[in-house]
Amino acid sequence: MAKPRLAVLISGSFRNFNETWPINSAYLKKLGIEYDVFFHTWEDNPSLDIDVLDNIFNNRFFFSLRMKKFRPFIEVLSHQYIAREYGFHFIQVEKFDENKISQEFSLANPKDNILYKSQLNSCGMYLGIDAVYQQIKINKIYTNFLRLRTDFLLDPDSLSQLLKHDLVFYGQLLPTPEGPIGDQCYGGRIEESEFILKTLDQLRLITTDNAWKSTHPVVLAENVIRKKLAPLRSSIDILYLDGRGAIARPKLERVEKPLNITDLRRIISHNARVLTTKLKRLHLG
């Protein structure tokens, strides 16, 4: 029996990878097996520009003398930076060419396709997965693989399961008629489940089919993996670990400038709405 060796396939926008990787690498080391990291990301790494009050504190009171925002991401990435900071076995940093991707997968444009942005992001995800997969498929030294997003935090207590099963899904899983599916993190034995990494082929099948129309868009996301897995679900050993591991939100930090009148009014209005909602739930309960 071959000595276990793990190919760790990380891809996606860099996001807060500099915060998640120190944690994940410690968990991987505890597995006690050899592993190599194959890393793909995009040059641009825009910070989150969403309202923290309405999103993170949607159902919570906000008490602070300063507004809060997400900690800014590293804005621009390069191969040199990744190599210097992490020294991974394989590194690829690409420019995200929106027009090229849109044309290749027939996404049309935001005006005609209401799912344009989400489909574009899904295509970028599968391009990244394929970039790292291509590097390990020509190298037969790996017995197992682990694919994860850059912002995914592994669950240390269940990580070793990927050495014991053909295929393991971690994180937030989506229920489907055939069974759960997820695109955040999955892994297993290469010999039995390498096919699950050939998702770019499946994406091309979907977007070149006669039924594919940008005027009647469908969600790609996990559906690509779902279609790839569907005919083989019953023939391999699959473990579903819903909720084991999760996407790590970027950390919050205080805005340095003091609250202004507009901010103060928004906070008062926000807290009043949260209080009203809680009182209604208490009354109904």
Side-chain angles (χ1 to χ4, degrees):
M1 187 176 181
K3 183 180 178 181
R5 185 160 182 171
L6 180 65
V8 181
L9 312 177
I10 304 174
S11 59
S13 295
F14 192 84
R15 301 184 183 95
N16 53 333
F17 180 75
N18 54 321
E19 297 172 2
T20 60
W21 180 244
I23 300 170
N24 286 339
S25 62
Y27 295 159
L28 286 164
K29 287 173 184 175
K30 287 183 180 179
L31 277 179
I33 66 172
E34 288 187 74
Y35 71 88
D36 293 317
V37 178
F38 297 78
F39 187 84
H40 177 279
T41 194
W42 307 100
E43 287 182 1
D44 294 332
N45 188 40
S47 297
L48 289 179
D49 185 22
I50 61 176
D51 191 294
V52 170
L53 203 60
D54 290 338
N55 287 271
I56 304 305
F57 290 89
N58 185 38
N59 298 310
R60 294 189 287 153
F61 292 112
F62 183 89
F63 298 114
S64 176
L65 296 178
R66 295 281 194 277
M67 288 298 289
K68 292 186 178 181
K69 64 178 180 179
F70 283 114
R71 182 178 295 174
F73 293 156
I74 299 169
E75 293 183 1
V76 181
L77 282 306
S78 67
H79 185 284
Q80 292 80 4
Y81 172 80
I82 304 296
R84 183 179 69 249
E85 294 295 317
Y86 304 103
F88 293 147
H89 187 77
F90 169 81
I91 299 166
Q92 185 174 351
V93 181
E94 281 191 86
K95 180 178 177 59
F96 191 88
D97 191 332
E98 179 177 333
N99 291 332
K100 180 181 177 183
I101 295 172
S102 176
Q103 291 175 11
E104 181 177 356
F105 299 104
S106 304
L107 304 184
N109 56 70
K111 181 180 178 181
D112 299 325
N113 182 355
I114 59 173
L115 293 181
Y116 176 84
K117 189 64 177 178
S118 67
Q119 288 181 345
L120 184 70
N121 290 338
S122 293
C123 290
M125 176 177 71
Y126 289 113
L127 285 166
I129 292 173
D130 190 70
V132 287
Y133 167 59
Q134 292 301 321
Q135 296 301 311
I136 70 160
K137 103 174 168 177
I138 58 176
N139 195 327
K140 304 300 181 183
I141 67 173
Y142 301 101
T143 59
N144 299 79
F145 76 93
L146 174 67
R147 172 280 188 282
L148 69 154
R149 281 174 43 154
T150 52
D151 57 356
F152 189 85
L153 273 179
L154 295 167
D155 172 47
D157 296 328
S158 60
L159 186 56
S160 62
Q161 294 299 321
L162 67 89
L163 304 175
K164 304 172 184 177
H165 299 270
D166 294 342
L167 184 60
V168 183
F169 285 99
Y170 298 92
Q172 183 179 357
L173 304 185
L174 178 72
T176 75
E178 303 92 20
I181 202 73
D183 60 18
Q184 298 176 352
C185 179
Y186 48 92
R189 300 183 179 115
I190 288 181
E191 186 174 351
E192 286 79 9
S193 56
E194 180 182 0
F195 69 89
I196 201 70
L197 295 170
K198 300 177 182 178
T199 41
L200 190 59
D201 296 345
Q202 186 67 49
L203 176 63
R204 289 197 172 108
L205 282 175
I206 294 171
T207 57
T208 56
D209 189 274
N210 291 332
W212 178 259
K213 292 181 175 64
S214 60
T215 52
H216 296 86
V218 296
V219 174
L220 291 172
E222 296 98 333
N223 197 44
V224 178
I225 299 176
R226 174 194 171 196
K227 286 181 175 293
K228 191 70 181 181
L229 180 59
L232 294 163
R233 270 189 192 265
S234 60
S235 63
I236 63 172
D237 167 30
I238 308 177
L239 180 64
Y240 305 101
L241 295 175
D242 191 15
R244 303 300 290 268
I247 299 299
R249 287 186 179 275
K251 294 180 180 178
L252 293 175
E253 64 180 19
R254 296 193 313 169
V255 176
E256 289 306 315
K257 63 180 182 180
L259 291 173
N260 56 38
I261 296 298
T262 301
D263 291 335
L264 188 58
R265 285 174 177 169
R266 286 192 63 227
I267 291 171
I268 293 171
S269 176
H270 169 83
N271 287 339
R273 180 182 59 78
V274 172
L275 178 61
T276 301
T277 301
K278 289 182 181 294
L279 289 174
K280 282 181 179 179
R281 287 176 181 172
L282 185 63
H283 176 72
L284 291 173

